[in-house]
């Protein structure tokens, strides 16, 4: 009883003992006003005492988020509200190619896109949405696998959906994945489908056939049902390549020979470069048949031209060995993938552009490994390879133009182009080299600027030719940039690295990269300039691609 009383503190001691009081206890002598029955805690949005907020008579103290602002009337509506007469429709001229019309709508906001015309190309009950989406994905797969850039693939997929009356469709294209969604109405769930591109092949004849199919589907006067479209797509898939394997090998050799002439080679160099390129092509075909990845195919294909050039140097032959190796490199440089990658980046498809440029980097690394391996053994065996040897192309402009045209022609054969497009792309390649020679050799302009201007003309003429024939621009531009590829800069950079001159080698390789980027940007800029002179819609200015929040 006594111990319990001792453990229980008295009230006076508990009140004044600092160890037993709370930190929030009011000190003595401080008077705190208290309100009767109300909480001391107020909201941070509560008005301070003494502030009288005036309220207009008759107005609600709180309004809804959908309440129109004061002063709004239907006759003089603000721009943030839909006018009473509706949003004016965007009219697109039907005389323009479907690529330009679809690209224009893809670059519009979704709310501003005009609705498709109510046409029935399928059954009486309307088009079967899953089958239309499947057909769209199959067409996009052929285009993406054939090397078409992502924006044109999206435009083609958008055109197919709208040709069957499907509104509110959103295609999406990456490097290996295609997807599309369709929402029947604002209250229904969207329908989505996707397809993966696992194999790629260069066949511009098949690419042109797919473009003709899309052009027929978008033609309002041509009524193609889903069954007919599937039948034509199956025929396109079954079509064989227009050129056999032996023709591709011969074209690879002629391309390397023509490229060796461009960098100062003679007749012996022409045949030596052609022989090395054909051996490399056959070895690459053998590796492909064994299932090896393309990285090793490029590595193996780069070795025979380098080996022939080193052998001529060790034999003390009076030939330009550097031209032999450079000619072999021209047949391997991935110019098509580089141009497509830069175009995707410039049009806002950054994921696809990164994947394409990474693919180019791997191919280029394979070429570097193959050539460096041969050059290293050549230097160890006593070969006097001169990295300072200048490319001598002065004094024979007609021969250079003829070689550039032959290079473009053989490049077109390697790309499996239609025979009707070979002549146009050959002339385009000759014009590109003539412009480059006039600016660089005669005018003394830097090679990067000369290459960019020549590539810009290639893109400009290619777009005009493709719009004239309502086809893809790739068959008219890819082969034409062949004479501009940086083969000599790549070779001299690799040779300097093999001889332990790392600084000179890196400078030369940086020049090669600059030339490659100038080609890709020039082609894209020429294509965009050509579209400025085409009447695409009723608006005078075409909306730019805006995929990020910028100024």
């Amino acid at each position: 009883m006594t111990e319990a009383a001792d453990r229980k503190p008295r009230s006076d001691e508990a009140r004044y003992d600092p160890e037993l009081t709370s930190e929030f206890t009011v000190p003595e002598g401080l008077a705190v006003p208290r309100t009767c029955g109300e909480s001391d805690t107020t909201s941070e949005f509560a008005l301070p005492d003494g502030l009288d907020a005036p309220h207009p008579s008759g107005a609600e103290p709180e309004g809804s988020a959908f309440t129109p602002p004061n002063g709004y009337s239907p006759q003089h509506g603000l721009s943030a509200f839909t006018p009473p007469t509706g949003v004016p429709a965007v009219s697109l001229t039907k005389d323009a190619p479907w690529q330009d019309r679809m690209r224009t709508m893809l670059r519009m906001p979704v709310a501003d896109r005009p609705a498709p015309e109510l046409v029935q190309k399928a059954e009486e009950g309307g088009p079967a949405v899953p089958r239309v989406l499947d057909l769209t994905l199959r067409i996009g797969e052929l285009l993406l696998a054939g090397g078409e850039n992502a924006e044109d693939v999206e435009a083609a997929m958008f055109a197919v959906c709208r040709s069957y009356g499907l509104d509110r469709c959103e295609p999406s294209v990456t490097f290996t994945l295609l997807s599309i969604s369709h929402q029947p109405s604002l209250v229904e769930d969207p329908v989505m489908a996707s397809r993966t591109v696992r194999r790629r092949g260069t066949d511009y004849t098949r690419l042109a056939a797919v473009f003709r199919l899309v052009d027929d589907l978008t033609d309002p006067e041509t009524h193609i049902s889903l069954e007919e479209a599937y039948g034509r797509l199956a025929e396109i898939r079954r079509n064989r390549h227009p050129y056999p394997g032996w023709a591709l090998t011969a074209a690879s050799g002629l391309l390397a020979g023509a490229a060796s002439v461009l960098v100062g080679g003679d007749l012996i160099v022409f045949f030596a470069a052609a022989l090395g390129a054909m051996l490399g092509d056959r070895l690459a075909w053998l590796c492909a048949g064994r299932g090896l990845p393309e990285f090793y195919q490029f590595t193996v294909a780069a070795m025979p031209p380098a080996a022939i050039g080193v052998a001529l140097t060790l034999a003390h032959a009076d030939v330009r060995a550097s031209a032999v190796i450079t000619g072999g490199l021209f047949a391997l440089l991935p110019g098509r993938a580089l141009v497509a990658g830069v175009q995707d980046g410039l049009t806002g498809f950054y994921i696809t552009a990164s994947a394409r440029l990474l693919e180019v980097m791997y191919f280029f690394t394979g070429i570097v490994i193959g050539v460096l391996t041969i050059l290293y053994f050549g230097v160890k065996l006593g070969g006097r390879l001169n990295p300072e040897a200048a490319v001598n192309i002065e004094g024979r402009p007609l021969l250079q133009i003829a070689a550039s045209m032959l290079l473009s022609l053989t490049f077109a054969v390697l790309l499996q182009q239609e025979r009707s497009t070979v002549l146009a792309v050959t002339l385009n390649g000759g014009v590109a080299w003539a412009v480059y020679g006039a600016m660089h050799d005669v005018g003394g302009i830097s090679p990067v600027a000369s290459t960019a201007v020549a590539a810009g003309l290639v893109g400009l003429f290619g777009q005009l030719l493709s719009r004239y024939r309502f086809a893809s621009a790739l068959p008219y531009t890819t082969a034409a940039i062949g004479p501009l590829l940086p083969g000599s800069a790549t070779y001299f950079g690799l040779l300097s690295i093999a001889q332990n001159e790392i600084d000179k080698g890196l400078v030369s390789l940086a020049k090669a990269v600059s030339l490659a980027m100038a080609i890709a940007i020039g082609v894209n800029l020429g294509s965009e300039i050509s579209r400025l002179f085409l009447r695409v819609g009723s608006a005078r200015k075409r909306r730019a691609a805006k995929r990020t929040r910028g100024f």
Side-chain angles (χ1 to χ4, degrees):
M1 186 70 178
T2 307
E3 295 178 358
D6 294 338
R7 287 196 302 265
K8 182 178 180 181
R10 292 179 299 176
S11 60
D12 296 338
E13 295 177 356
R15 181 180 305 173
Y16 299 105
D17 191 352
E19 297 180 357
L20 299 177
T21 56
S22 172
E23 298 179 358
F24 301 98
T25 303
V26 179
E28 294 182 357
L30 179 63
V32 180
R34 296 183 178 272
T35 57
C36 300
E38 294 185 1
S39 175
D40 294 339
T41 305
T42 59
S43 172
E44 58 186 38
F45 298 100
L47 294 177
D49 295 337
L51 178 62
D52 185 15
H55 293 281
S57 59
E60 297 181 0
E62 295 183 0
S64 172
F66 301 96
T67 303
N70 297 328
Y72 171 76
S73 62
Q75 292 78 14
H76 305 284
L78 302 178
S79 58
F81 291 86
T82 304
T85 57
V87 178
V90 180
S91 61
L92 300 175
T93 175
K94 297 182 179 180
D95 298 333
W98 63 267
Q99 300 100 307
D100 293 328
R101 289 187 281 117
M102 296 301 110
R103 185 182 292 107
T104 302
M105 280 190 287
L106 282 175
R107 293 180 178 182
M108 287 182 182
V110 178
D112 295 347
R113 293 176 184 173
E117 297 179 0
L118 297 178
V119 294
Q120 296 292 339
K121 294 185 178 181
E123 297 79 7
E124 289 293 334
V129 174
R131 297 196 65 195
V132 172
L133 298 183
D134 179 70
L135 175 67
T136 303
L137 289 173
R138 291 178 183 273
I139 290 177
E141 178 190 9
L142 286 180
L143 293 176
L144 187 62
E148 193 65 73
N149 60 75
E151 187 177 31
D152 287 339
V153 175
E154 280 196 0
M157 296 172 63
F158 196 67
V160 174
C161 288
R162 291 181 66 87
S163 65
Y164 286 99
L166 297 186
D167 195 8
R168 292 181 292 274
C169 291
E170 287 297 330
S172 178
V173 176
T174 58
F175 186 60
T176 57
L177 180 66
L178 300 98
S179 61
I180 189 168
S181 63
H182 166 66
Q183 190 173 11
S185 65
L186 297 177
V187 296
E188 297 183 60
D189 295 333
V191 181
M192 300 186 65
S194 62
R195 194 172 183 87
T196 303
V197 178
R198 302 190 183 276
R199 299 189 61 184
R200 300 176 183 273
T202 304
D203 189 346
Y204 283 1
T205 300
R206 179 179 297 176
L207 192 69
V210 176
F211 262 77
R212 283 194 293 268
L213 173 60
V214 178
D215 185 47
D216 291 340
L217 289 174
T218 56
D219 189 359
E221 299 180 358
T222 305
H223 300 282
I224 300 178
S225 63
L226 282 173
E227 298 298 332
E228 295 173 349
Y230 269 107
R232 289 183 57 176
L233 193 62
E235 291 179 1
I236 293 173
R237 286 181 174 272
R238 287 194 299 265
N239 284 344
R240 301 183 62 182
H241 299 304
Y243 306 103
W246 64 267
L248 299 179
T249 302
S252 178
L254 291 176
L255 189 153
S260 65
V261 174
L262 281 180
V263 294
D266 53 9
L267 186 61
I268 299 178
V269 172
F270 178 89
F271 285 106
L275 177 62
M278 288 189 291
L279 289 176
D281 183 76
R282 286 292 91 190
L283 288 176
W285 276 98
L286 181 62
C287 294
R290 299 292 181 180
L292 290 178
E294 286 185 296
F295 175 84
Y296 301 105
Q297 297 177 27
F298 274 82
T299 302
V300 171
M303 290 183 175
I308 292 178
V310 171
L312 292 175
T313 302
L314 294 176
H316 301 286
D318 189 16
V319 295
R320 187 183 292 270
S322 61
V324 176
I325 302 176
T326 301
L329 290 178
F330 264 87
L332 298 176
L333 293 178
R336 171 181 59 87
L338 175 66
V339 171
V342 174
Q343 285 183 338
D344 288 339
L346 294 176
T347 52
F349 294 84
Y350 301 114
I351 297 178
T352 308
S354 301
R356 289 187 190 271
L357 294 179
L358 185 62
E359 181 188 38
V360 171
M361 188 192 71
Y362 272 103
F363 290 163
F364 189 76
T365 304
I367 297 172
V368 167
I369 292 175
V371 175
L372 272 181
T373 303
I374 301 300
L375 293 180
Y376 177 79
F377 285 107
V379 172
K380 290 298 182 181
L381 292 175
R384 296 181 179 179
L385 300 172
N386 184 15
E388 301 294 338
V391 178
N392 183 18
I393 60 175
E394 297 179 358
R396 47 179 190 175
L398 296 180
L399 181 61
Q400 300 295 320
I401 294 176
S404 65
M405 295 176 66
L406 177 61
L407 192 153
S408 299
L409 188 147
T410 53
F411 202 176
V413 174
L414 289 176
L415 294 174
Q416 300 282 0
Q417 291 189 196
E418 291 181 311
R419 292 179 175 86
S420 59
T421 63
V422 171
L423 179 60
V425 73
T426 301
L427 296 177
N428 201 5
V431 170
W433 182 260
V435 172
Y436 171 80
M439 294 183 63
H440 177 59
D441 300 332
V442 180
I445 303 175
S446 66
V448 176
S450 303
T451 301
V453 173
L457 290 178
V458 168
L460 176 63
F461 294 152
Q463 283 291 336
L464 294 178
L465 288 172
S466 66
R467 293 306 182 264
Y468 176 73
R469 297 192 177 186
F470 289 85
S472 172
L474 288 181
Y476 300 99
T477 58
T478 305
I481 64 173
L484 304 175
L485 293 176
S488 59
T490 303
Y491 162 69
F492 289 129
L494 298 180
L495 181 57
S496 299
I497 293 176
Q499 294 181 346
N500 291 326
E501 297 179 358
I502 307 299
D503 295 339
K504 293 182 179 180
L506 293 179
V507 169
S508 185
L509 290 179
K511 178 182 177 181
V513 172
S514 300
L515 292 174
M517 294 298 294
I519 292 173
I521 295 175
V523 170
N524 181 264
L525 182 60
S527 302
E528 293 294 331
I529 290 176
S530 67
R531 296 192 186 106
L532 294 178
F533 298 98
L534 297 175
R535 182 176 175 82
V536 179
S538 59
R540 295 184 179 180
K541 294 183 180 181
R542 179 172 58 87
R543 293 179 182 267
K546 188 174 182 181
R547 299 183 179 275
T548 57
R549 294 185 62 185
F551 298 96

